[in-house]
Amino acid sequence: MKILAIGRNYADHIAELQNEVPDEPVIFFKPDTAILRNNEPFYYPDYTSDVHHEAELILRICREGKDIDRKFAHKYYDGIGLGIDFTARDLQAKAKAKGLPWALAKGFNGSAPVSEFLPLDLFPDLRNINFRLDVNGETRQQGNSRMMLNPFEDIIAYISRFITLKTGDIIFTGTPQGVGPVQLGDRLEGYVEDKKLLDFEIK
Ligand code: MG
């Protein structure tokens, strides 16, 4: 399986990092070795000193498809969960300054904690899903799917023009404002609506 992610998909987050609003979606990969499941702890690596949390709604792909029409995109995912797109902001800043890819800054081991997936029928309106991330009991990020510049179906349609999606792939759909560093000992708790889906520690 593979993990695909979209960057710069919430205007408020683009503003906080002083990035430009992209004319086309910014897409990147994380390898399957980035995944943490079942609330496993995140072990802070030694090659960065500025790991940021980016809380994101994630989609589970349930059938193979390429060149998917946005009208049919909803048939290609069957679960919504919460993920953290951990980003080594120091490595990313270096890469950005040189116009180089983000592979290591976004794809390092453990950089993709993912929750269980909730079935779509739990959500009466996919364009109105609230989610949030608390760190040590304090809310750091809050978002709603209606704030996305590219909604789910546009992300799926766009990516699948270039890259075939397969069952089991996961798509990270972008983070709202409030990203920031994590520290040893932090406890991260993530919610979709009122359901706690993530609860793990930084070690
Ligand atoms: Mg992100």
Side-chain angles (χ1 to χ4, degrees):
M1 61 82 64
K2 57 189 177 291
I3 303 169
L4 288 145
I6 180 167
R8 304 182 189 171
N9 201 25
Y10 285 79
D12 56 0
H13 170 62
I14 293 171
E16 76 179 341
L17 292 190
Q18 297 175 329
N19 285 319
E20 281 174 27
V21 177
D23 19 318
E24 286 182 327
V26 179
I27 305 296
F28 57 93
F29 280 108
K30 287 172 182 277
D32 57 2
T33 44
I35 290 184
L36 296 178
R37 291 190 198 270
N38 305 316
N39 289 315
E40 290 174 275
F42 172 81
Y43 289 94
Y44 204 110
D46 61 5
Y47 39 74
T48 169
S49 52
D50 197 21
V51 174
H52 279 205
H53 55 76
E54 296 190 358
E56 314 198 357
L57 292 172
I58 56 176
L59 308 178
R60 179 176 63 197
I61 298 298
C62 62
R63 57 195 279 202
E64 184 167 323
K66 60 179 176 180
D67 259 324
I68 299 164
D69 190 296
R70 61 191 302 286
K71 282 200 301 287
F72 304 115
H74 64 278
K75 295 175 185 282
Y76 287 81
Y77 64 101
D78 68 351
I80 293 177
L82 193 68
I84 308 294
D85 168 19
F86 275 133
T87 304
R89 199 68 77 198
D90 43 0
L91 301 186
Q92 189 193 33
K94 250 193 237 171
K96 267 184 179 174
K98 296 181 187 161
L100 293 173
W102 302 350
L104 298 179
K106 289 284 199 180
F108 57 89
N109 288 335
S111 61
V114 298
S115 74
E116 61 178 302
F117 288 87
L118 303 172
L120 300 190
D121 56 16
L122 280 187
F123 301 97
D125 182 359
L126 296 173
R127 294 274 183 103
N128 183 16
I129 302 174
N130 288 296
F131 62 104
R132 74 170 207 268
L133 175 70
D134 292 356
V135 179
N136 303 324
E138 181 190 315
T139 299
R140 293 264 189 93
Q141 291 192 266
Q142 261 181 316
N144 184 292
S145 58
R146 71 170 167 266
M147 299 156 61
M148 299 168 68
L149 301 177
N150 302 276
F152 299 151
E153 59 271 26
D154 288 9
I155 299 172
I156 287 174
Y158 184 78
I159 289 177
S160 71
R161 284 171 58 198
F162 304 88
I163 299 166
T164 299
L165 296 174
K166 295 177 89 169
T167 300
D169 289 350
I170 295 174
I171 298 181
F172 277 65
T173 63
T175 199
Q177 72 175 342
V179 304
V182 294
Q183 315 286 349
L184 295 189
D186 281 351
R187 178 177 180 192
L188 276 62
E189 293 166 286
Y191 298 79
V192 172
E193 295 297 347
D194 54 352
K195 281 197 175 25
K196 193 202 280 196
L197 293 184
L198 287 175
D199 186 353
F200 67 97
E201 281 180 34
I202 310 295
K203 291 194 169 175

